[in-house]
Structures are given as C-alpha cells and as structure tokens.
Amino acid sequence: MLLEAGEHLLRSAYAVLEPDHRPSGVPGPGVLYLTNRRLVFEAPASGGVVRDLLRGRESRLVFDGSLQAVRNVSVRRARLGRAWLVVEAGARRPAFDVLDPEGWVADLARAKQSLPPPGVIVPTVIEREVVKVRCRYCGNLGNEVAGRCPTCGASF
Ligand SMILES: [Zn+2]
C-alpha cells in the first residue's frame, strides 16, 4: 500500500473479507491497514500469499475508505463462530474477520477523532514513508521494503 504525504500507518493485520463483499476473482484473505487518514484492505489478485502482497506484488485494492467517510465501526459477534469487524462507509458495509476486532474499533475511533476539522488546511511535509509490518514469527516490527525481519531474520 502506498502512503500519501503526511499519512502514517497506525495498525495493520492479516484479515479476511466477508464473502458477500468480495469482488469476483478476489480471494478473502488480505491485509487490513489503518492509517491516520484511511482504512484500506488489499488482497492478492490471484490467490497469492500475503507475503507477496506485502511486497506490493499483484495486490488488488478492494476497499479504500477515507476516515471521514467511515460513519461507524462495530463488532458483530455470532453466537457460534467468529467476530466480524463491520465498517459502515457510504453505501458499503464490508465486514472483516480480523484478530482483536475491539482493538480495531478503538483505534479507528481514535483516528477519526484526530482528523482535522473540515476546512482546516494541514501543512504537510513531503517525506519518504516506510510501511512497517509485524513479523509473523517474532511479532517485532520491520520495514516492509527490507523484506526481512530485523529481529529474527524471517522473510516478510
Ligand atoms: Zn521476526
């Protein structure tokens, strides 16, 4: 995922998009990103693995909602089975199977509160942004572009 100037990543995780909201040809698993401006879900275009997706190969942007457009987020919990993170944005209501959906709801609410009020021009500094990804093996953060975990050396 490409970050805009002044945009930074708050949270990212492996997530599965609910079948009802999948465009044809897009598999459910992908990566959900929360930045200070957007909520983005990227899935591999042809059944590839998330590793490829994180390197920016063959990824397909499925959901790219500005936080202003996100009206509400909630956790839908079935009596049996998974909890879904439900995002209401415009006419869409995509739901994601993601670890710690309550944490996502809290972080999304915080990010929305930190948005500048409409009409306020925020000065931005153009800088090179590096997307941090969490290592699946040791849990530490590393640079997406490095391709390897700086702590344990596992490839991303
Ligand atoms: Zn590691």
Side-chain angles (χ1 to χ4, degrees):
M1 187 188 75
L2 288 173
L3 295 173
E4 297 159 4
E7 183 176 33
H8 57 265
L9 190 69
L10 299 173
R11 192 174 184 135
S12 68
Y14 174 81
V16 180
L17 181 61
E18 192 176 36
D20 293 357
H21 295 280
R22 268 177 229 163
S24 63
V26 172
V31 178
L32 191 63
Y33 298 93
L34 173 65
T35 77
N36 56 328
R37 294 192 186 155
R38 288 184 295 164
L39 184 67
V40 173
F41 180 73
E42 276 184 338
S46 54
V49 291
V50 173
R51 184 163 65 239
D52 289 334
L53 169 73
L54 287 175
R55 285 182 189 152
R57 279 193 231 124
E58 281 198 58
S59 73
R60 178 162 168 182
L61 204 63
V62 177
F63 179 79
D64 183 356
S66 84
L67 291 182
Q68 275 103 343
V70 175
R71 284 197 318 278
N72 191 39
V73 283
S74 55
V75 179
R76 188 178 76 214
R77 200 173 281 282
R79 196 186 298 174
L80 293 171
R82 300 158 167 165
W84 296 87
L85 176 70
V86 182
V87 178
E88 293 171 50
R92 306 181 65 184
R93 276 191 89 174
F96 301 94
D97 182 9
V98 66
L99 211 64
D100 187 23
E102 287 85 2
W104 277 84
V105 168
D107 282 359
L108 267 154
R110 247 192 308 274
K112 267 184 80 73
Q113 277 168 13
S114 317
L115 288 173
V120 173
I121 294 163
V122 181
T124 56
V125 178
I126 307 291
E127 57 187 307
R128 197 189 152 103
E129 297 270 1
V130 178
V131 173
K132 297 266 188 183
V133 291
R134 196 169 289 282
C135 175
R136 289 172 299 150
Y137 296 94
C138 72
N140 286 297
L141 289 174
N143 289 345
E144 180 182 319
V145 289
R148 251 171 211 296
C149 173
T151 309
C152 75
S155 57
F156 286 134

